[in-house]
Amino acid sequence: MKLLRSDVKAPALKMNESLQNAALDHANDMAATGITNHVGSDGSNFKDRIERYALIGGYIYQSIVYQDQLRKPIHSKDIIKHLMMDKFVPKKQNRNNIMANHHLHFGAAVANHPKTGQCYVLLYGS
């Protein structure tokens, strides 16, 4: 991802513990309940989950990838390729958010999902 972002003069993303924890909360919730949605079983959205751990001002965004969308064994490079192709999201929002200059931090988590195999949650923040 660092190489991709450097092509558009965007700084490398830095891991953020609060974003990581919020991503893990949602991945675990989806795994436990079988939901496949950006909204948690408690009605929380990604902003709500992030604010459980810290206030992160500015831009935030969430991407979710399910193993059954990739149709093969998963490697982290496969997830990034999938997000860059962005065939499941109108207006290529996943691609735009990976490449956005204003996103400086990220958190990511994976969990075994009862319907999709695995679910991957990525959060970006400024």
Side-chain angles (χ1 to χ4, degrees), residues 7-113:
D7 284 347
V8 294
K9 309 241 183 302
L13 292 170
K14 296 178 184 170
M15 202 283 286
N16 177 283
E17 188 174 353
S18 296
L19 293 174
Q20 189 85 21
N21 287 332
L24 186 59
D25 278 357
H26 194 50
N28 287 339
D29 183 36
M30 288 192 295
T33 62
I35 60 173
T36 54
N37 199 316
H38 288 270
V39 177
S41 63
D42 63 356
S44 64
N45 62 36
F46 61 92
K47 182 177 185 283
D48 298 329
R49 290 186 290 276
I50 292 168
E51 288 179 347
R52 289 177 188 160
Y53 297 98
L55 289 176
I56 296 180
Y59 297 96
I60 54 173
Y61 186 77
Q62 177 177 263
S63 295
I64 299 175
V65 177
Y66 301 101
Q67 183 179 9
D68 65 349
Q69 292 174 328
L70 301 174
R71 298 185 187 2
K72 63 178 183 173
I74 302 300
H75 185 277
S76 58
K77 290 179 183 177
D78 296 320
I79 296 167
I80 300 305
K81 286 178 192 175
H82 175 79
L83 292 171
M84 291 302 291
M85 291 186 332
D86 215 1
K87 65 182 181 180
F88 294 106
V89 178
K91 299 182 183 178
K92 307 296 182 203
Q93 275 307 112
N94 287 323
R95 178 188 310 168
N96 294 340
N97 281 291
I98 287 175
M99 304 301 278
N101 283 327
H102 54 264
H103 286 150
L104 306 175
H105 305 279
F106 80 99
V110 60
N112 291 321
H113 193 279

